[in-house]
Amino acid sequence: MIVNKNDFHSFLKKVNNGLGNINEVIVPYRARSDDENPSFHFQRFEENKILFLDFFRTIDPIKILFYLFREKVYPIKNKNLKRVIVGVKACDLKALHLLDKAMLQSGFVDPAYKQWRDNSLIISSDCDYLHETCSCNLVNGHPFPENGFDLNLSVIGGNYFIQIGSERSQEFVELMKKEITVANSTVSDIEIVKANREKVFNRLIEKNNNLTHSGDFSEIRKVEHKSWEEVSEACIGCGACTNICPSCYCLILNDESTDKDFIKVRSYDSCQWYGYARVAGGGTPRPKMTERFRNRYLCKFDYMYKNFGEFGCTGCGRCTEACAAKIDFRQVVKNVSSVAQEVN
C-alpha cells in the first residue's frame, strides 16, 4: 500500500482525537534542536509538531512504554487504554520479542506487561539515518524491521510504503482507507524500498567495519578475569547501561501492602549495582565491579542465547551513548570475543 505522508499524518491526528475508539497516538519527536546531533523521544501526538519517523531509534527504548520504571503489578487496574505507537525501530522490535519470551512465554505471565502489549498497535519504520552508536549489523540485525510489527512504514519520496505485519492491523487499515487515499503499491515501489534498505545497511557495515567480531560467543565464559578487569577498568557501576537497554528486565518486587490492601510494585533493578541479588544476611554474589561488568556481557551473549535462542543485544547502541565512563560496548564485545577465540 502507498499513502501520502501528509495524509497519513492527518489521519494520525484524527486517530489521536478518538477516531476508531483509540485513546492516543505516540510518535517520535525531536528532543533537541541540534541539527548536527539530532535526538528523538516518544511522546503523545501533538498537532503542530513535526514527525520524525524515518530517522534512527529514540533516546529511550520502546521498553519504557511496556515495562515501566515503576509499576503496580498487583492488583492490576484495567487501563482501558487503546493506543498506537508509531516509528518503532527494528532494534526495539527485537528487544520486545525477547521481552515477550521472558514476560509472556516462560511459564509466568507479567499481567501489567501483557495489558500494555494487548492494547498497543505497533507501526514501525525503516531507519534512513544512523546514530553514531548504531550497530545492529554486528548482532545479526538490520536497520529495517523484518517482523514483530503490525504495520511498517518505508519512505518513498513524499509517500509511505506500508507493509502489513499482523492480522490485528486489518481493522486499523480499513479505518485508514475510509479516511485517506490508499493506493496499491507496484513492483517499482518494492524495488525502491529494497534499494534504500541496502544503501543504509551498507553504510552501517562501513561505519562498524573496525568493530566486527566472530559472532561466536560459545567460549565467552572461559575468558580469564584479567581480560575483564582490563575492559571494565573505567566502569563506575552507575547502571545506566542496564536501565537504557531495551532488553534488560531485572526487577525488584516491593511489598507495599497496607492494613487493608495487598499491593505489589515492580521497579527496575540493575546487575551493575553492588546490592543486586544481595541476600538477607548482606552477602552479594558479585562484590567486585569487574564481576558485575562481566555478568552483563555474559547475560547478553550467553545466558539469553541459551534461554531464548537469541542474543540479548539488539545493537541499538544506547548503552554506549549513556555510559558515563565512555565505554564503547562494541569495542568490549570485540576485545572479549577475540580473547574467547584464542581460548577456544
Side-chain angles (χ1 to χ4, degrees), residues 228-239 241 272 289-290 292-294 296-297 323-327:
W228 288 107
E229 288 174 357
E230 291 173 357
V231 294
S232 66
E233 187 176 12
C235 181
I236 60 174
C238 66
C241 54
Q272 300 305 289
M289 187 62 253
T290 298
R292 300 195 292 278
F293 186 92
R294 172 180 178 266
R296 170 168 157 72
Y297 287 82
C323 182
K326 307 298 182 187
I327 297 173

Side-chain angles (χ1 to χ4, degrees), residues 38 46 51 60 62 82 102 104-105 113-114 147 157 162 204 211 213 218 252 269 280 296 314 317:
E46 292 186 25
L51 298 183
D60 290 316
I62 197 68
K82 194 176 176 183
L104 305 177
Q105 303 164 14
Y113 178 81
K114 184 177 186 306
N147 49 50
I162 300 182
L204 184 62
L211 294 164
H213 50 72
S218 58
I252 296 175
D269 199 354
R296 170 168 157 72
T314 66

Side-chain angles (χ1 to χ4, degrees), residues 114-127:
K114 184 177 186 306
Q115 188 167 227
W116 286 121
R117 286 292 271 146
D118 290 344
N119 293 336
S120 303
L121 188 82
I122 294 180
I123 302 178
S124 56
S125 58
D126 293 3
C127 295

Side-chain angles (χ1 to χ4, degrees), residues 244-294:
I244 204 74
C245 177
S247 68
C248 277
Y249 59 89
C250 284
L251 62 97
I252 296 175
L253 189 63
N254 290 331
D255 185 345
E256 299 187 5
S257 302
T258 65
D259 291 343
K260 297 181 180 179
D261 300 307
F262 180 73
I263 300 172
K264 290 289 186 181
V265 177
R266 162 175 37 77
S267 55
Y268 286 11
D269 199 354
S270 172
C271 63
Q272 300 305 289
W273 295 338
Y274 178 81
Y276 180 80
R278 183 168 54 192
V279 296
T284 177
R286 302 182 194 92
K288 295 181 179 178
M289 187 62 253
T290 298
E291 296 167 331
R292 300 195 292 278
F293 186 92
R294 172 180 178 266

